[in-house]
Amino acid sequence: MAGTKRLPRAVREQQMLDAAIAEFAESGYTDTSMDAIAARAQISKPMLYLYYGSKDELFSACITRESGRFIDVMSAGFDPSLRQREQARILVREFLRYVHENAASWRVLYRVASGSAGFSDVVTKARAEITEMITALIRQGTTVEGASDTDFELTAVALVGAAEAVADRVSEGDVSIDAATDLLLGITWRGLKGVGT
């Protein structure tokens, strides 16, 4: 445990969150202990409790940080001035790249937090922000007469759901980013062209 005493508080907090994400991703919420997180972070359990008063508080901090990172990545890739198909490819690719590079984070958000009643609201909020981006993209690029806001939103909800399911396979290494991007883009493009028809 020596060597952590001189770390700035902000660095130590991130170290704890990184360790917690890894443990929660491996063992789930219920089976993860504060002892295991402290050991992985190479700190004492009392220090972990000093920073995060309970496992609930620590888990909440984890999903808040990870959902924020996810939204930042997706927001950075969103450019309404791009042509619709190009924008769709960028968003799908960035989404899958994030999942591939942050598999533990994705497992915590998609599997652990989504299945935990007390924490699912953070995931729901992140999903709503992504859905709003996709809805704006669909609305901007759709020229079909008769399409309504409900059409746009429901198409976005369906596409986000499909993306999450495929991303879960990416996080397990079952499919490559390129193959998953092509698959989702095909689904996305067909969905976008069908809005309002």
Side-chain angles (χ1 to χ4, degrees):
M1 313 258 173
T4 60
K5 294 182 179 179
R6 293 192 186 124
L7 287 175
R9 181 182 180 91
V11 173
R12 189 174 292 154
E13 285 175 350
Q14 296 309 307
Q15 185 182 54
M16 292 177 194
L17 292 176
D18 290 343
I21 287 289
E23 288 294 329
F24 287 130
E26 287 176 12
S27 305
Y29 178 78
T30 303
D31 293 336
T32 294
S33 69
M34 294 293 268
D35 286 306
I37 294 169
R40 189 180 284 248
Q42 299 182 340
I43 58 167
S44 68
K45 189 163 78 167
M47 180 177 283
L48 183 60
Y49 275 108
L50 179 65
Y51 279 70
Y52 299 99
S54 66
K55 188 166 80 166
D56 278 5
E57 186 180 326
L58 177 57
F59 188 66
S60 181
C62 286
I63 59 177
T64 298
R65 184 188 78 170
E66 298 310 301
S67 63
R69 286 178 170 180
F70 177 63
I71 291 296
D72 287 347
V73 166
M74 296 304 294
S75 298
F78 184 68
D79 182 355
S81 69
L82 293 174
R83 293 184 57 166
Q84 188 183 31
R85 188 162 192 155
E86 183 182 355
Q87 178 65 86
R89 176 168 285 283
I90 289 170
L91 284 175
V92 168
R93 178 81 184 180
E94 285 303 299
F95 178 74
L96 295 175
R97 184 185 62 77
Y98 178 87
V99 171
H100 177 70
E101 293 176 359
N102 302 276
S105 170
W106 175 255
R107 287 186 197 110
V108 168
L109 288 173
Y110 185 72
R111 294 181 187 169
V112 182
S114 292
S116 304
F119 303 103
S120 60
D121 58 329
V122 177
V123 180
T124 300
K125 182 173 181 255
R127 184 179 290 126
E129 289 185 46
I130 297 298
T131 301
E132 191 175 319
M133 281 185 226
I134 301 297
T135 302
L137 172 63
I138 295 169
R139 183 182 294 111
Q140 174 223 344
T142 300
T143 57
V144 177
E145 291 185 20
S148 68
D149 281 344
T150 301
D151 291 326
F152 300 143
E153 184 181 357
L154 290 178
T155 302
V157 167
L159 296 175
V160 169
E164 288 178 347
V166 172
D168 202 41
R169 301 289 297 274
V170 169
S171 76
E172 293 297 326
D174 293 341
V175 61
S176 72
I177 295 176
D178 289 337
T181 298
D182 290 342
L183 171 68
L184 279 173
L185 192 63
I187 293 170
T188 302
W189 196 242
R190 284 193 294 274
L192 291 174
K193 291 200 322 190
V195 168
T197 59

